[in-house]
Amino acid sequence: MIVIMLGAPASGKGTQSVIVAQRLKVPHISTGDIFRWNIANNTAVGEEAKKYIDKGILVPDELTIRILKERIEKEDCERGFVLDGFPRTINQQQSLDRMLTECNKSINMAINLSVTDDEVIRRISGRRMCKCGKAYHIVTYPPKTPGICDLCNGELYTRKDDTVEVANTRLEAYKLQTEPILAVYRERGIVVDIDGHKPQEQVAEDVWKEILKYSEKHGWM
Ligand code: AP5
Ligand code: MG
């Protein structure tokens, strides 16, 4: 099963993708996480991506599509995957279609998490991340021990692009470059809209209900 998680910055894509991927037993692939791993490990990809990420603008398609292609060609993606943060431009969307067509696959569902701009800024201002991928919020979803991850005891950090100024640029990039993808997927009838304002657990249940509905309809799982 191939599921795309769409939504504005901080709409909860990462939080929900991890849960869906665990439930479906497929990998969770976040292009943002791949770039951040490369930045932390001082690779050439990281050095290039950092120039854009720190400013809140999209990394050029050529590089992004290349790293995504390399990742989905790995064996663990054979049964499907959950994509978080890709595609983000019409060019990426069309490339993904071509890659999937080549191996007789297609996107099953695109989950659209909707949140208001004010909520995006509120979430970004209080987010703390762990290297293991778990996201916290200092007010709404604080860790049990301040600064320490509940899951792996890792030290929490603030993403460099989590400032109000950069968040506004990210939001703008989302509206201009990413939102048009929704119209393409809507035309295909694969979009499911989910209210991203509800508590995380409720959003997870709403998403899962939609996946089960899809599975029943298509005799899958
Ligand atoms: P990326 O890492 O994808 O960032 P993003 O899209 O801006 O999204 P976030 O990771 O900020 O938020 P999220 O939706 O995952 O929310 P989360 O679950 O963490 O991309 C970063 C950068 O990399 C881009 O700006 C770009 O430069 C580059 N990039 C990546 N992919 C690219 C591509 N395809 N093409 C080009 N460039 C690319 O939750 C957010 C917060 O809210 C947390 O604090 C969480 O605890 C809280 N929260 C979650 N759910 C809820 C809830 N239901 N209620 C209340 N709070 C909640
Ligand atoms: Mg994320």
Side-chain angles (χ1 to χ4, degrees):
M1 184 146 182
I2 297 176
V3 176
I4 313 262
M5 200 65 74
L6 288 168
S11 54
K13 299 183 297 297
T15 304
Q16 297 303 328
S17 296
V18 168
I19 299 171
V20 171
Q22 272 170 359
R23 286 177 158 175
L24 291 175
K25 299 188 180 65
V26 295
H28 159 225
I29 301 173
S30 152
T31 39
D33 287 350
I34 296 174
F35 285 137
R36 280 184 289 278
W37 182 91
N38 277 279
I39 292 170
N41 288 281
N42 299 310
T43 68
V45 167
E47 197 183 329
E48 181 63 15
K50 192 173 161 36
K51 294 181 202 161
Y52 304 91
I53 294 180
D54 287 354
K55 293 191 191 119
I57 53 180
L58 296 184
V59 175
D61 282 342
E62 201 193 338
L63 176 59
T64 310
I65 291 165
R66 176 160 64 80
I67 61 143
L68 190 274
K69 187 167 189 288
E70 280 168 14
R71 180 63 189 91
I72 66 172
E73 278 172 357
K74 293 209 166 120
E75 218 182 311
D76 64 340
C77 291
E78 210 33 60
R79 279 190 61 251
F81 43 84
V82 179
L83 274 188
D84 158 13
F86 189 99
R88 249 167 151 114
T89 62
I90 289 288
N91 189 14
Q92 291 181 16
Q93 174 261 313
Q94 290 170 344
S95 296
L96 177 63
D97 275 352
R98 282 194 293 273
M99 284 180 232
L100 294 177
T101 306
E102 269 172 29
C103 49
N104 277 326
K105 288 180 182 162
S106 61
I107 301 161
N108 300 93
M109 281 176 87
I111 294 165
N112 177 38
L113 299 174
S114 58
V115 289
T116 60
D117 293 1
D118 286 349
E119 179 66 3
V120 166
I121 301 299
R122 194 194 66 76
R123 289 185 186 183
I124 282 181
S125 312
R127 176 166 49 186
R128 297 292 180 275
M129 289 298 302
C130 179
K131 280 203 179 76
C132 76
K134 174 88 181 145
Y136 296 87
H137 187 280
I138 49 171
V139 179
T140 14
Y141 291 102
K144 288 186 189 122
T145 310
I148 303 292
C149 178
D150 294 349
L151 303 182
C152 73
N153 281 327
E155 201 178 320
L156 303 186
Y157 68 95
T158 304
R159 265 170 52 175
K160 217 175 161 202
D161 58 346
D162 275 354
T163 62
V164 174
E165 197 196 351
V166 177
N168 278 315
T169 310
R170 284 158 64 195
L171 204 44
E172 208 173 301
Y174 170 75
K175 286 179 184 169
L176 280 174
Q177 294 170 278
T178 308
E179 244 175 15
I181 294 172
L182 264 175
V184 176
Y185 289 158
R186 277 195 206 288
E187 205 149 280
R188 281 186 212 171
I190 58 169
V191 176
V192 170
D193 291 293
I194 300 283
D195 178 0
H197 293 98
K198 294 184 190 172
Q200 283 179 14
E201 301 72 22
Q202 188 57 54
V203 176
E205 286 324 302
D206 290 351
V207 167
W208 190 240
K209 252 187 235 160
E210 292 298 333
I211 291 178
L212 289 180
K213 244 196 253 170
Y214 175 92
S215 303
E216 243 168 60
K217 193 168 154 198
H218 297 270
W220 193 83
M221 276 207 296

